[in-house]
Amino acid sequence: MKRIFSGVQPTGNFHLGNYIGALRNWVSLQHEYESLFCIVNLHAITVPQDPRVLAQKTRDLARVYLAAGIDPEVSIIFIQSDVPEHAELAWVLTCLARISELERMTQFKDKAAKQREGVGAGLLNYPTLMAADILLYQTDLVPVGQDQKQHLELTRDLAERFNRDYGETFRVPDPFIPKVGARVQSLSDPLRKMSKSDDDAVGSIFLLDDADAVRRKFKRAVTDSGTEIRFDESRPAITNLLTIYQVLTGREAREVEQHFEGKGYAQLKSELADLAVEFLRPLQERARGYSDEELDRLLDAGRERAQQIARATLDEAKRRLGLVGARGRAR
Ligand code: ATP
Ligand code: MG
């Protein structure tokens, strides 16, 4: 059975973009693939985090995975820092990566620009840790949003470089980027993506938003000039709203356009708000339904299953590299 791996950082608040671009696809792919879904807290600390908040967000995110429909009987859900093999392989890949290719990454440039007290080296090395996450599991497919495509390409390059220099060790993964909703934009600035770490509370629909907040945000959403409601790249705000509508209803783009023919922006916004509220309500209820004990049990089991796979790959990589143990053999 082929394998998928993906993750979300326990930073900020999980938003509709994360769901539409990533998590929604994990849920549908989990029955076709052996699946690992990670809460990538080592990635989160590439920018400053409050330790207590980080710990809480890590567990909350596990609840979101479950509530969205990740089945722990089928898929492996685990916390990145619980499997130290991630950090160990990341070091190996850091030694293989070039500073120039890391500095070229769009995410690095964006996030580095926001750091006030100097840019952490972890932010630069973010993609090598992500490559380690993926390669440890001999992953075939990585379901992510459009913004991660560049990191996936680097992951492939690093895997190929290692395989060429040290012998065939890692499977070279393919990205899975959805045709619709791969990049959900901010409701307040349709040229920027919705992001957990931005202070963009009015531009993002958070999974834990109540009905009032959802309605307010859609009502205030920026629109484009003109009145027509149709998909059009030159009108990013309306296209973004229509994309969200399309995903939440599961309809074809043409059907959506037909539905809104002759209607105004206010109608689109109010229908969207209703849809989003109805979508979020059961999800929020399910997320609240998991006790701490249940979560611990689940994350423990996930760690064990993940580590077994990770260790085998790391052992092989170390053997290839000549990193041998005390008795002359790599372990
Ligand atoms: P941060 O601002 O902390 O980086 P984020 O919102 O970008 O948060 P991540 O944890 O970095 O979220 O990414 C989790 C997954 O969600 C990735 O697969 C990413 O591609 C996807 N994703 C993030 N933002 C969007 C978006 N606006 N539209 C579609 N997919 C997205
Ligand atoms: Mg991100």
Side-chain angles (χ1 to χ4, degrees), residues 41-55:
N41 57 350
L42 296 175
H43 279 96
I45 61 167
T46 56
V47 295
Q49 303 291 341
D50 176 320
R52 283 181 49 187
V53 175
L54 179 64

Side-chain angles (χ1 to χ4, degrees), residues 84-111:
E85 283 77 1
H86 288 246
E88 197 171 345
L89 184 62
W91 174 252
V92 169
L93 298 175
T94 294
C95 295
L96 229 63
R98 292 159 195 147
I99 292 178
S100 59
E101 59 193 351
L102 295 171
E103 281 175 339
R104 247 194 294 118
M105 296 291 117
T106 312
Q107 179 182 287
F108 171 68
K109 288 190 266 187
D110 287 349
K111 291 197 174 180

Side-chain angles (χ1 to χ4, degrees), residues 110-255:
D110 287 349
K111 291 197 174 180
K114 286 187 207 151
Q115 297 309 309
R116 278 177 231 117
E117 293 180 40
V119 178
L123 204 54
L124 182 67
N125 285 319
Y126 185 111
T128 63
L129 177 58
M130 178 165 156
D133 299 341
I134 295 165
L135 300 181
L136 271 179
Y137 300 98
Q138 305 291 358
T139 301
D140 294 282
L141 202 65
V142 186
V144 284
Q146 177 69 38
D147 64 306
Q148 293 302 322
K149 184 165 182 274
Q150 200 183 27
H151 289 166
L152 237 303
E153 280 158 10
L154 182 60
T155 300
R156 291 171 55 90
D157 288 346
L158 292 174
E160 280 164 2
R161 201 171 296 163
F162 189 102
N163 290 347
R164 184 199 63 202
D165 293 349
Y166 301 102
E168 201 62 30
T169 307
F170 299 117
R171 194 165 302 166
V172 181
D174 286 311
F176 175 96
I177 295 170
K179 287 201 181 68
V180 180
R183 186 181 166 97
V184 176
Q185 303 294 71
S186 158
L187 301 185
S188 54
D189 178 358
L191 299 180
R192 274 193 6 233
K193 82 168 190 78
M194 239 182 231
S195 274
K196 279 190 269 90
S197 60
D198 276 351
D199 295 327
D200 182 24
V202 289
S204 309
I205 302 292
F206 299 125
L207 242 63
L208 300 178
D209 273 347
D210 63 24
D212 279 352
V214 172
R215 288 187 204 288
R216 196 163 8 95
K217 289 178 187 181
F218 276 116
K219 204 166 186 174
R220 283 196 197 157
V222 167
T223 50
D224 307 292
S225 57
T227 53
E228 251 187 300
I229 300 183
R230 57 183 169 75
F231 291 90
D232 176 355
E233 272 176 33
S234 68
R235 297 166 74 228
I238 291 302
T239 299
N240 189 41
L241 294 178
L242 284 175
T243 301
I244 298 172
Y245 186 92
Q246 189 188 345
V247 169
L248 292 183
T249 55
R251 294 192 201 159
E252 295 293 327
R254 274 174 54 88
E255 270 182 88

